[in-house]
Amino acid sequence: MVKSKYQSVLDLGQKLNIENGDVKEENGVLKVTGTAKTQYEKNLIWDEIKAVGGDSPSDIMADIKVADESVFHRHTVKSGETLGKIAKQYYGDAMKYKDIFAANTDILKNPDLIHPDQELIIPNL
């Protein structure tokens, strides 16, 4: 029963390719473990858990580790994106584009020139 309640969380974990994932239901509590690639992906899982179960759900226990803690995320640029748009997606603030630019000066020379398929580091702030 509780597993079906959190099916969207499990689906998201599958979509994100959470590694070493395990799901058990014991005494009405869903126990979920796994390793997300980045903190951003871990946050996405927790956001979905809270969307389903509220801020302090008592029917799920999740232990999600992060494989790469050196970055917040790695983003592959899509056509039409700007650093401001990317910053808004990850930080909720387009002005944080400066932080993304600073973390990628090895491949970016101008914050107004990014290209599809470039992989950008989204830094921990």
Side-chain angles (χ1 to χ4, degrees):
M1 179 69 188
V2 72
K3 186 175 179 181
S4 62
K5 174 181 175 182
Y6 288 100
Q7 190 60 49
S8 63
V9 174
L10 303 178
D11 292 345
L12 178 58
Q14 209 166 24
K15 179 181 169 193
L16 295 174
N17 294 318
I18 299 299
E19 295 178 355
N20 306 314
D22 190 40
V23 179
K24 293 180 188 144
E25 194 171 333
E26 295 175 7
N27 302 318
V29 175
L30 194 63
K31 296 183 178 185
V32 180
T33 60
T35 303
K37 288 181 202 73
T38 61
Q39 183 64 46
Y40 174 72
E41 290 185 355
K42 178 179 177 175
N43 290 357
L44 290 176
I45 295 284
W46 276 105
D47 289 347
E48 186 62 25
I49 288 171
K50 290 176 186 175
V52 174
D55 283 341
S56 299
S58 59
D59 57 354
I60 187 169
M61 291 175 56
D63 181 11
I64 309 297
K65 301 198 177 351
V66 174
D68 185 356
E69 295 181 340
S70 68
V71 299
F72 186 62
H73 197 59
R74 294 180 188 277
H75 179 86
T76 302
V77 176
K78 295 174 207 63
S79 180
E81 287 186 320
T82 64
L83 287 183
K85 186 176 179 180
I86 294 167
K88 180 93 171 142
Q89 175 184 341
Y90 291 103
Y91 304 124
D93 181 355
M95 291 309 293
K96 301 260 185 206
Y97 81 88
K98 297 171 191 168
D99 296 297
I100 296 173
F101 177 71
N104 291 280
T105 54
D106 57 328
I107 60 169
L108 300 179
K109 303 304 173 213
N110 179 333
D112 295 325
L113 282 177
I114 62 173
H115 304 286
D117 299 323
Q118 285 179 311
E119 184 177 89
L120 302 179
I121 290 172
I122 307 302
N124 290 310
L125 295 184

